[in-house]
Amino acid sequence: MRPLSQRCCQSASVGDNGGVNSVDAEGLGRVAGIRGAAAGPGGANLLALRSHNTALVLDLLRTAGAEGISRLELAERTGLTPQAVSKITARLREEGLAAAAGRRASTGGKPRTVLRLVPEAGHAVGVHLDRDELRAVLVDLDGTVVAESRGAVGLGAGADAVVEGTARQVEALLPETARGSLLGVGVALPGPLDHTRGMLHRVTGFPEWDGFPLRDVLAGRLGLPVVVDKDTNAAALGLAVAGEGGSFAYLHLGTGLGAGLVIGGSVHRGARTGAGEFGHQVIQLDGPVCGCGNRGCVEVLCLSAVGRGDVPEAARVLGAGAANLVGLLDIDLVLLGGRTVASAPEEFVAGVGAVLGERARREGAGGGGVPVRVASGGEWGVAVGAAQLLVAPLFGREDG
């Protein structure tokens, strides 16, 4: 079996990476995967869109699971011709990405061969780099966590220590069996940052990181493609891939506070990749000074309440910020995550839900407030989402 980087990714365009950051043409092929031009919800029988069509087929193989799916079903659900599906699936089987999963009775003629995705044909590493620790996971093409690790290196350790510590964690996760199928490394960390160039800006509390080209430096150290994104965006992408549909906000309360926004099924990063700086909306003009330099930000008010042991007040403040977000974007769902939420999940869900419910009653909205619940994935959710920055593009899901 050829390495994954030499297989299905060869048809990707290196001229349009849609904001996915990588280090060179070969790396871009790995990261961008089998991505092509948009063609609506179905496929298009055009050579120029071959990679888009392959992504459609791969995504259906993935969602079909171990039971698999027939070529006829693939053609019906993608809108591709049976001949196009046969060519695509033959190539995927040759490349080791698809395999036979048995046969299924047909309504006429011979039994149909059923195909499935081969999850172990590809892997990605996801890194959650927080202010005071690092978590890393190795996932397969199904998004299943194969290995995980954590360390004490955080942003406060400085650039050299962080790059070296991250590289060692990544290398320690990789068995020989996964190295040939590795798509690359996704790194998720607090913003603000430039997702397209993989460069950090003034991370709250760590101004010394401003302008540091983390993507390129880490890629040079590892010799692998690297993608960098905000922790909240990565987590939101992971949730969207896992099945959270529609439009939702993921609010991450840990050592800081931020939001990942999924609008109409896609991660919304903004024109300058700065969307989701949720924690630094000012809700108290004469409030305490925040690490960002403003006064009365949601983040400083919320974390101050947590520091005093007043979780109900922290939840109320978080709810006020969430209510602003719901009113602005009219989203369908609010998901809560992060280690601070994990320390008292029921109280945070109840507190945020109460504020959103009161807002809905004031506005006369039918059906009560926007639902609030704890995000799936737990303490490893951001790291898994970071890995999806590499895996999702293979299935046409680079924006969720």
Side-chain angles (χ1 to χ4, degrees):
M1 185 187 303
R2 288 173 288 164
L4 188 60
S5 61
Q6 299 175 13
R7 303 193 316 238
C8 63
C9 307
Q10 290 175 330
S11 63
S13 165
V14 296
D16 173 18
N17 68 354
V20 174
N21 44 81
S22 55
V23 293
D24 53 23
E26 180 184 3
L28 180 58
R30 274 173 146 171
V31 175
I34 43 179
R35 177 180 180 268
N45 293 297
L46 300 172
L47 180 62
L49 298 183
R50 180 178 63 176
S51 54
H52 167 71
N53 293 336
T54 308
L56 288 174
V57 171
L58 269 175
D59 194 42
L60 288 172
L61 289 172
R62 179 183 64 87
T63 55
E67 293 184 1
I69 185 171
S70 70
R71 292 182 184 86
L72 180 59
E73 290 172 302
L74 287 170
E76 291 173 346
R77 294 178 64 180
T78 60
L80 296 168
T81 65
Q83 293 84 355
V85 169
S86 292
K87 289 180 180 180
I88 291 171
T89 54
R91 188 168 66 247
L92 292 176
R93 292 186 71 173
E94 178 188 352
E95 294 163 349
L97 289 166
R103 290 180 177 273
R104 186 178 299 165
S106 173
T107 55
K110 62 182 181 180
R112 300 173 187 169
T113 299
V114 179
L115 301 174
R116 64 174 179 85
L117 179 71
V118 180
E120 62 271 21
H123 296 84
V125 174
V127 175
H128 179 195
L129 178 58
D130 210 340
R131 292 172 171 85
D132 58 354
E133 70 170 8
L134 183 153
R135 296 173 184 264
V137 296
L138 178 68
V139 308
D140 64 17
L141 294 183
D142 262 342
T144 301
V145 176
V146 178
E148 60 189 37
S149 67
R150 61 189 298 175
V153 175
L155 287 171
D160 290 344
V162 166
V163 169
E164 187 59 28
T166 301
R168 289 180 179 177
Q169 290 276 99
V170 170
E171 291 166 345
L173 278 177
L174 296 177
E176 288 301 321
T177 53
R179 291 179 185 273
S181 63
L182 191 67
L183 294 166
V185 180
V187 182
L189 68 160
L193 54 80
D194 185 336
H195 165 70
T196 58
R197 295 191 298 163
M199 184 176 292
L200 277 62
H201 292 323
R202 294 181 65 86
V203 179
T204 304
F206 301 95
E208 66 273 16
W209 282 93
D210 189 17
F212 186 78
L214 178 62
R215 178 198 68 193
D216 292 346
V217 172
L218 187 57
R221 167 62 177 80
L222 288 168
L224 293 168
V226 173
V227 181
V228 172
D229 205 347
K230 288 197 294 191
D231 47 10
T232 50
N233 287 342
L237 174 60
L239 291 166
V241 170
E244 292 291 355
S247 300
F248 65 86
Y250 168 75
L251 307 184
H252 185 90
L253 180 60
T255 56
L257 174 60
L261 306 174
V262 172
I263 308 297
S266 297
V267 176
H268 177 70
R269 294 184 175 90
R272 290 165 295 280
T273 73
E277 289 301 311
F278 169 81
H280 300 297
Q281 55 176 305
V282 175
I283 61 173
Q284 185 179 331
L285 292 177
D286 58 349
V289 177
C290 180
C292 71
N294 289 328
R295 286 184 172 272
C297 292
V298 176
E299 178 176 296
V300 68
L301 294 172
C302 195
L303 291 178
S304 294
V306 170
R308 298 192 304 270
D310 192 349
V311 173
E313 173 64 9
R316 188 179 72 86
V317 172
L318 184 59
N324 290 341
L325 198 58
V326 169
L328 184 65
L329 299 177
D330 194 23
I331 55 177
D332 305 316
L333 174 67
V334 172
L335 297 171
L336 307 180
R339 70 175 79 167
T340 301
V341 169
S343 67
E346 294 180 0
E347 290 183 82
F348 275 104
V349 168
V352 173
V355 177
L356 293 180
E358 178 57 33
R359 178 192 178 97
R361 285 189 290 274
R362 288 197 307 270
E363 296 177 347
V370 170
V372 181
R373 66 172 186 264
V374 174
S376 61
E379 60 183 356
W380 297 93
V382 174
V384 171
Q388 284 294 342
L389 294 168
L390 280 300
V391 175
L394 288 174
F395 306 99
R397 298 290 302 273
E398 60 265 41
D399 293 319

